[in-house]
Amino acid sequence: MAEAVARLLRDGVVVGEQAPAVMLCDSLQTRAAPALFTHFFASLTSNIAAGRAQAKGLVVVALRSTPESYTSSLDTEKKSRSSPGHCLQLVDCYTDPLGWNERIQGAEKLGEEGQQHTELEASSAYSTLCHDISDLNSLLSIVLRSGQGILLTHFLKICLMDALMQISFLLRYQSVAAITNFLSALRSHEQVSALMWVVHGDLHEARVVASLEYVATTVIHIKPQIHLPGQMLETQHKRETRRYGRIYVRQKKRNGRVREQVEEFQIENSGVKFAPVTLMTEMHQAVSLISSIPKVQFNLELSDKEREDRSKVVLPFEHQGDGKEVRIYDGRPDSVQSTFGSLNVVNGGSRHPEVVGSVAHKPSGVGEIHYLRDSDDERPDSDEDPDDDLDI
Amino acid sequence: MSEMMEEILGLDARKLLPGSLILIEDSVAAKGAFLLNYFLKKLLAAPHASEEEAGGGTTRVLFLALSEPFSHYNRISRKQGCNLISYRNSGRLIFLDMVSDNPPGSVWTKGLKQSALFGLYERVNECVKRQEMQKSGEERTVIIIDDASLLEVLAGGVQNEVLSFLHYCRALYSGSHRCGVVALVHADTDSNRGLSLPVDAGAQSPAAALVQELEHSADVIVTVDPLSTGLATDVHGQVSVVHWTDALCSAEFRRAPCTLQFKLLESSVLFSHPGGKF
């Protein structure tokens, strides 16, 4: 599913349609949106560098995380190192989003200060500073202008990825209407190939998130991994719980069809890995198996063979056949032996042992206790009340 | 014993990522101010010893004190074997004492009307830049704020101001690096914590709790809690550390949250694993 999203960003816009827009929505429980964002960011940059994508460049509006974090992530990919300016343009809203620095510098008019500033700007030739994010129109024009910088070298569409276009950050200073307007203006612009942004769902009202969802074509809700009661006990799982999660990808097709799919992800140091969801039934089985048995050192469950062997065991009070003729006691006095002799119960060796009584000769004068089991359906160790059928 | 804390924080070899935010959340029952002293001491003292072999790379600290005056921190640090006055004289510590320097209210009359904390930021910026001019070389500046909840009071209750201020502190360049920020906030003073407010948002977007907003952007969250089992004479509370990014330790960043118990002594802080000995 995650690949589908990456493909969506890669393939870009269809003629006559608005650009696809991906929205990532997370909460404090996972805080995984930045990690997922970097994942899509990396896959798109590699696609662009390889020329597979419709877009020929990338504009990142850095609002929440430092612009350096984007360029450094590119630096690690050596192939894009050769021409970073061609493929990536940064709009730096991080350094001075409200124009405070500008105001201070304007007031001071320190030559040295100014020099340093231009130095900084020169060192990042492929980034543009934005001094006022409260003016969305100017931000829009900055974004599009930096996109055109790429456009001049390549005559194709650019891909705008409004990176940690932390809408949450923008929402502090802007109304929802202004932002949705800004986003749809970007989407409908002919240069834009695809769009992506991040929202922290728990910082805003549901209606704010919903209205942003309307603008997006694909919404990825990031939720923590589902914990079944048995699972939580496992310390190993608890340890790993912050690395796992689920994404609920809701895709809106052009014909109006909405499809929601679920996938699991795992954040590793090298990146994010996606996997299909472990089926609930599988999971449940595993969990019930684990949870029903108390944690002890010995095995409490019987295997099939053990169960069979156990049924073969002849209990000590059941007399063994001692070579004498075994005759079934039917309650009537024996015709041959007029008195009670010995009663032998022979285990037939089957799973449900036949209960038989037998009368046999015994040398008289020796006292014995004889046991007669009269019912087959009662297991020897059954905890059924033995006086159940007592009729008083 | 504080090595244990160091290890869990990953605060080794001044590995504080530029532009990172370490959030200390405390509550009424367990104050977290001792951690500020801990950070102050670690940042000032530890690099100093290895300064020669590391070849420069000092950490400077800008302490923005809103709740207690300098004399308070100085007294505590001296008992812990760290002389703040000498650090202040050498320029490695800049102490912005908002308690005794400024009568309350003067900060926001100084700044422009629409942004109350702009004036304060101007001062911070000025201090950092001045510091930068004094000494060249590889250096980092860490801004410690005690406490960010009082910033909200200073800003007249406007949360966005506080968030912008903290954002600017993180974005501030000192040399070639951005400043790191260590901030203390009170987790229990937000009435609407964990709720999404059904406020009608016209021009003003609904205010999520300050702590919640900060938690979203923090790299490391250090929570100070009283013991869940109640009061104890030997243990004064517990500290849990959650790493969200690799701002402090280069090792595995999304590792399990760690909890330590602490005991405050006159001259030091002792940490131990839950149930362990101090």
Side-chain angles (χ1 to χ4, degrees):
Chain A
M1 211 40 238
E3 280 112 76
V5 175
R7 240 180 291 130
L8 188 83
L9 287 170
R10 185 193 70 190
D11 293 341
V13 65
V14 181
V15 183
E17 296 283 340
Q18 290 198 328
V22 179
M23 169 168 141
L24 287 162
C25 181
D26 75 343
S27 70
L28 268 180
Q29 284 167 305
T30 54
R31 278 189 60 176
L36 289 179
F37 187 91
T38 342
H39 171 81
F40 291 124
F41 173 74
S43 82
L44 188 60
T45 41
S46 67
N47 272 332
I48 289 174
R52 283 192 297 268
Q54 183 196 39
K56 287 288 164 271
L58 199 63
V59 178
V60 176
V61 180
L63 279 169
R64 205 206 74 158
S65 52
T66 56
E68 293 93 79
S69 60
Y70 296 106
T71 47
S72 66
S73 72
L74 272 191
D75 283 349
T76 49
E77 291 174 46
K78 279 155 200 147
K79 50 185 175 182
S80 4
R81 184 76 194 93
S82 52
S83 56
H86 287 188
C87 130
L88 180 71
Q89 281 283 331
L90 282 166
V91 178
D92 183 359
C93 297
Y94 183 85
T95 312
D96 194 13
L98 300 174
W100 286 8
N101 286 340
E102 206 181 34
R103 214 190 292 171
I104 289 170
Q105 272 160 26
E108 283 176 355
K109 288 210 169 66
L110 258 172
E112 211 176 340
E113 198 85 11
Q115 262 178 12
Q116 208 162 31
H117 192 69
T118 46
E119 226 172 73
L120 268 175
E121 272 190 301
S123 69
S124 50
Y126 43 94
S127 91
T128 321
L129 262 171
C130 171
H131 287 292
D132 189 10
I133 59 161
S134 56
D135 186 1
L136 282 181
N137 283 330
S138 77
L139 180 60
L140 182 67
S141 68
I142 287 173
V143 168
L144 291 175
R145 223 185 308 130
S146 50
Q148 268 157 359
I150 306 166
L151 206 70
L152 288 175
T153 45
H154 306 267
F155 299 104
L156 267 167
K157 288 192 170 145
I158 55 157
C159 178
L160 263 166
M161 189 129 96
D162 281 337
L164 290 191
M165 174 115 197
Q166 285 278 2
I167 294 293
S168 296
F169 187 89
L170 268 184
L171 274 169
R172 275 188 221 155
Y173 308 101
Q174 292 292 337
S175 67
V176 189
I179 286 175
T180 44
N181 193 21
F182 170 71
L183 288 174
S184 49
L186 275 177
R187 271 191 71 197
S188 56
H189 198 276
E190 55 175 4
Q191 284 179 8
V192 179
S193 156
L195 202 67
M196 180 153 112
W197 67 84
V198 172
V199 172
H200 297 311
D202 52 349
L203 290 182
H204 309 291
E205 284 178 82
R207 68 183 191 91
V208 174
V209 179
S211 55
L212 287 170
E213 272 186 48
Y214 273 110
V215 185
T217 49
T218 302
V219 183
I220 304 180
H221 282 281
I222 303 162
K223 306 228 167 109
Q225 181 70 285
I226 295 172
H227 294 297
L228 293 167
Q231 260 179 329
M232 275 305 276
L233 291 172
E234 290 179 68
T235 48
Q236 178 65 26
H237 194 85
K238 212 172 178 180
R239 186 181 298 273
E240 296 289 307
T241 188
R242 291 171 64 243
R243 304 162 140 265
Y244 293 98
R246 286 180 165 215
I247 50 172
Y248 294 74
V249 185
R250 194 179 300 152
Q251 272 187 311
K252 283 183 257 179
K253 297 271 172 186
R254 268 195 295 282
N255 60 8
R257 206 179 123 219
V258 177
R259 188 170 60 160
E260 183 163 317
Q261 278 168 302
V262 189
E263 201 169 44
E264 284 176 359
F265 69 87
Q266 182 187 354
I267 299 170
E268 290 178 354
N269 285 358
S270 51
V272 186
K273 275 190 183 159
F274 295 93
V277 172
T278 332
L279 280 179
M280 206 58 191
T281 47
E282 288 172 32
M283 234 154 121
H284 198 73
Q285 248 180 17
V287 168
S288 67
L289 206 71
I290 295 163
S291 58
S292 69
I293 308 167
K295 284 260 184 296
V296 285
Q297 291 200 325
F298 42 87
N299 190 12
L300 287 177
E301 287 288 298
L302 291 179
S303 70
D304 285 344
K305 190 180 178 301
E306 284 168 332
R307 206 166 282 134
E308 198 178 318
D309 289 344
R310 179 179 144 168
S311 69
K312 283 180 187 158
V313 170
V314 179
L315 296 174
F317 49 77
E318 295 180 343
H319 291 246
Q320 311 289 320
D322 44 2
K324 304 227 166 73
E325 190 191 356
V326 177
R327 292 166 68 184
I328 298 168
Y329 172 67
D330 56 357
R332 287 171 295 153
D334 198 273
S335 55
V336 184
Q337 307 287 331
S338 58
T339 54
F340 248 65
S342 302
L343 297 174
N344 273 1
V345 179
V346 170
N347 193 331
S350 67
R351 203 186 140 101
H352 300 288
E354 268 187 333
V355 179
V356 288
S358 77
V359 184
H361 260 305
K362 275 276 169 187
S364 56
V366 183
E368 272 189 82
I369 296 172
H370 299 288
Y371 167 77
L372 178 68
R373 201 158 76 195
D374 60 348
S375 160
D376 190 30
D377 52 16
E378 190 184 328
R379 298 274 300 268
D381 51 353
S382 152
D383 47 0
E384 200 178 291
D385 182 13
D387 295 335
D388 212 18
D389 50 354
L390 206 64
D391 188 24
I392 302 169
Chain B
M1 276 301 154
S2 68
E3 293 96 57
M4 206 179 275
M5 186 64 185
E6 226 170 298
E7 189 189 311
I8 281 180
L9 277 174
L11 194 71
D12 52 337
R14 292 155 281 155
K15 262 278 185 182
L16 196 66
L17 212 71
S20 58
L21 171 65
I22 298 169
L23 198 66
I24 303 171
E25 288 179 14
D26 70 350
S27 52
V28 178
K31 279 200 80 180
F34 73 94
L35 278 174
L36 290 178
N37 278 302
Y38 172 83
F39 271 104
L40 190 62
K41 193 187 164 193
K42 279 281 168 276
L43 290 169
L44 283 174
H48 199 63
S50 58
E51 201 174 348
E52 285 81 29
E53 61 242 44
T58 53
T59 308
R60 287 147 180 275
V61 177
L62 190 143
F63 202 102
L64 189 59
L66 292 153
S67 68
E68 303 281 353
F70 178 72
S71 51
H72 166 84
Y73 296 103
N74 188 34
R75 195 171 300 134
I76 292 174
S77 298
R78 211 169 43 218
K79 276 188 177 156
Q80 296 181 353
C82 173
N83 192 349
L84 290 189
I85 294 175
S86 71
Y87 281 120
R88 192 169 65 166
N89 292 339
S90 71
R92 287 196 50 207
L93 170 71
I94 293 184
F95 203 93
L96 279 182
D97 197 336
M98 306 304 293
V99 185
S100 47
D101 279 11
N102 290 52
S106 68
V107 183
W108 32 325
T109 48
K110 196 181 159 195
L112 292 179
K113 277 166 211 152
Q114 65 261 39
S115 48
L117 288 175
F118 174 68
L120 186 58
Y121 173 69
E122 220 172 354
R123 277 185 73 175
V124 171
N125 185 44
E126 191 190 315
C127 290
V128 171
K129 294 286 184 242
R130 204 194 310 140
Q131 219 177 1
E132 192 184 294
M133 275 174 225
Q134 276 175 8
K135 201 175 177 181
S136 57
E138 189 78 5
E139 62 175 41
R140 286 170 183 201
T141 307
V142 177
I143 302 174
I144 302 184
I145 299 169
D146 179 25
D147 56 73
S149 301
L150 284 177
L151 281 176
E152 201 178 347
V153 178
L154 216 60
V158 186
Q159 232 172 57
N160 281 352
E161 284 290 322
V162 184
L163 293 168
S164 312
F165 176 78
L166 288 173
H167 178 89
Y168 264 97
C169 285
R170 290 175 76 181
L172 193 61
Y173 271 105
S174 116
S176 53
H177 296 289
R178 293 182 194 269
C179 294
V181 176
V182 179
L184 175 76
V185 285
H186 302 311
D188 45 5
T189 50
D190 277 314
S191 54
N192 51 353
R193 188 162 160 73
L195 299 170
S196 53
L197 280 182
V199 179
D200 179 52
Q204 196 82 18
S205 62
L210 175 71
V211 177
Q212 212 176 342
E213 287 256 17
L214 285 174
E215 272 180 14
H216 260 294
S217 55
D219 296 295
V220 181
I221 299 175
V222 183
T223 321
V224 185
D225 286 315
L227 275 186
S228 53
T229 48
L231 291 172
T233 45
D234 278 350
V235 184
H236 294 152
Q238 59 186 26
V239 181
S240 39
V241 182
V242 184
H243 289 265
W244 286 105
T245 63
D246 49 358
L248 277 176
C249 52
S250 50
E252 222 182 331
F253 63 96
R254 284 216 172 203
R255 57 183 180 182
C258 285
T259 305
L260 287 185
Q261 293 179 339
F262 66 86
K263 184 182 187 180
L264 298 173
L265 301 179
E266 195 64 13
S267 61
S268 63
V269 190
L270 298 180
F271 292 101
S272 91
H273 287 293
K277 274 184 102 177
F278 286 108

